[in-house]
Structures are given as structure tokens and as C-alpha cells.
Amino acid sequence: DAGVIQSPRHEVTEMGQEVTLRCKPISGHDYLFWYRQTMMRGLELLIYFNNNVPIDDSGMPEDRFSAKMPNASFSTLKIQPSEPRDSAVYFCASSLGPPLPNYGYTFGSGTRLTVV
Amino acid sequence: GESVGLHLPTLSVQEGDNSIINCAYSNSASDYFIWYKQESGKGPQFIIDIRSNMDKRQGQRVTVLLNKTVKHLSLQIAATQPGDSAVYFCAESVPSDDKIIFGKGTRLHILP
């Protein structure tokens, strides 16, 4: 089991550019979550999917952020245009089911995004 | 390495001593609680969980205590080791909700 795989590990981009973060969940996991981690806000849930369908995107900061899950093995989080305040570590997590015992989240290693 | 340079409460513990990390959760309707450990440069990792119908649960070297009256959760680590250095997050979930909400975290620093 390779775990949750995120790419790239690090991304440095200029303000105004489009950024795409990628995630491959664990095979068989029905839930996929995108979190953002910053100094000020800690770990924030941005959006999550169940069976490839977006369920709750209330944490997405603004229209510059969008997320897709075209199939069970791939999801993207896109920021267009990017701004310096988007600099953070973005985590993807997956789980077999809703948060109950034995259905804990498995997190990827994160993508550290720096917008200059 | 840092977890995005978080300015977090820090608990410093002598190697071999027991550590107690505390967390105040926000929602009285939460019925499921989890502790995660985040090492530098990595994502959070599940440690132990507890449902609201319990007040204590033990794992290997770790114990979670839940006090619903005051909405307080604690993680006890026995015989703290250098490998326990990390940021520890408590997280909560409410019934019929598919998501977990994380607390701010506590950095555990092990003294030699």
C-alpha cells in the first residue's frame, strides 16, 4: 500500500499564475479530503468528496480555488490566479468511510506551496 | 523542520517521563474524537481515537481521556521517547457528519 500520494512536494510560483495540486487516494477509499495548513489557521478543511462527488466545499476560500475528482483514483486542487496569501501546505487525505472508529483518515505528505 | 512554522503551545518533557497533552474541544454535540501526530515534513498520522460513550481508551504507550462535562480531551504518552517529538492535534466529529475538524495543535519537545 503506497498510501496517499501527493504531487508536487514543493511548488514555488509567481503571483497570478495557475497552480494545480494533485492527489492519488488509497485504492478503495471512498472519501477524499483537501486540507490547508497555515500558521494562523492551523489545519482547515477546504472540500471533501464521497464517491467522486463534492459533498461540502464550504471551506474553499474563494472562487479562485476549485477542486475536481474525475475518477476514484485522482483529484486536483487548482488555484487560479494564485496570491501570496495562498502560501501554505496543502494536504490530501482519504478514508474508507465517514469518521468512525476504524475509518480514520490517511494523509499524504503534503504539497508546500509558496507564491511570490 | 517545522509544520509550516506554526506558533504553537509547546510542551517540553524529559526523555523517559510521561507526557500529557490537553485539548479543549468546541462542539458539545461531537461524539467521536481522534488524536493525530504530525512529524516535521509529514502529514498528520492517526494515533488513537475515542467515542463519546467512553471516558478512557488505551493503546500502546498512549491513553486518551475524555471529559464531556468540561469538553476536555487529553493524550497521555508513557515513557516519552525522542521519536515522540512532533505536533499533536486533537480532532472531533459530530454525528452524521463526514468530516473531522482539527484543533490548533501542541508541539511536544523532548529534552535529553
Side-chain angles (χ1 to χ4, degrees), chain A residues 11-21 34-42 44 46 59-66 77-91 111-116, chain B residues 4:
Chain A
E11 176 81 33
V12 180
T13 191
E14 291 186 345
M15 183 174 63
Q17 296 298 306
E18 177 180 293
V19 175
T20 299
L21 311 181
W34 282 101
Y35 280 85
R36 177 173 68 176
Q37 188 173 40
T38 61
M39 180 176 66
M40 296 301 296
R41 295 192 175 89
E44 299 174 276
L46 301 178
M60 296 285 262
E62 47 198 274
D63 292 346
R64 298 184 297 105
F65 285 69
S66 63
L77 178 67
K78 186 176 294 187
I79 308 172
Q80 165 64 14
S82 58
E83 297 182 2
R85 61 195 169 111
D86 301 329
S87 297
V89 180
Y90 291 81
F91 287 102
T111 295
R112 181 179 292 273
L113 173 65
T114 303
V115 183
V116 298
Chain B
V4 294

Side-chain angles (χ1 to χ4, degrees), chain A residues 9 31 33 35 37-41 43 45 48 56 58 89 91 98-102 104-105 107-109 112, chain B residues 2-7 32 36 38 41-44 46 49 51 89 93 97-104:
Chain A
R9 284 300 308 273
Y31 285 78
F33 305 83
Y35 280 85
Q37 188 173 40
T38 61
M39 180 176 66
M40 296 301 296
R41 295 192 175 89
L43 271 164
L45 176 64
Y48 77 92
D56 184 348
S58 60
V89 180
F91 287 102
L100 289 173
N102 302 320
Y105 291 11
F107 280 82
S109 297
R112 181 179 292 273
Chain B
E2 305 291 339
S3 294
V4 294
L6 288 166
H7 292 174
Y32 176 56
Y36 282 86
Q38 186 177 22
K42 298 182 179 179
F46 173 93
D49 59 4
R51 301 196 74 166
F89 294 93
S93 178
D97 198 345
D98 294 343
K99 58 192 180 189
I100 290 174
I101 304 301
F102 284 81
K104 294 299 183 186

Side-chain angles (χ1 to χ4, degrees), chain B:
Chain B
E2 305 291 339
S3 294
V4 294
L6 288 166
H7 292 174
L8 298 168
T10 297
L11 175 66
S12 295
V13 175
Q14 205 77 36
E15 182 178 347
D17 287 352
N18 297 335
S19 303
I20 300 176
I21 301 170
N22 296 304
C23 173
Y25 63 92
S26 56
N27 193 338
S28 57
S30 294
D31 69 343
Y32 176 56
F33 306 89
I34 317 104
W35 279 100
Y36 282 86
K37 173 186 180 182
Q38 186 177 22
E39 296 175 279
S40 180
K42 298 182 179 179
Q45 180 183 14
F46 173 93
I47 302 174
I48 190 168
D49 59 4
I50 189 169
R51 301 196 74 166
S52 59
N53 60 352
M54 303 172 68
D55 53 20
K56 181 179 181 179
R57 187 157 189 243
Q58 287 185 292
Q60 187 177 14
R61 272 200 318 118
V62 293
T63 301
V64 55
L65 299 177
L66 174 63
N67 184 331
K68 293 181 289 294
T69 303
V70 295
K71 293 193 289 185
H72 184 267
L73 198 64
S74 69
L75 177 70
Q76 300 179 2
I77 305 173
T80 309
Q81 303 169 357
D84 295 327
S85 284
V87 176
Y88 290 81
F89 294 93
C90 64
E92 60 186 295
S93 178
V94 298
S96 303
D97 198 345
D98 294 343
K99 58 192 180 189
I100 290 174
I101 304 301
F102 284 81
K104 294 299 183 186
T106 298
R107 188 181 304 280
L108 179 63
H109 176 60
I110 311 303
L111 301 168

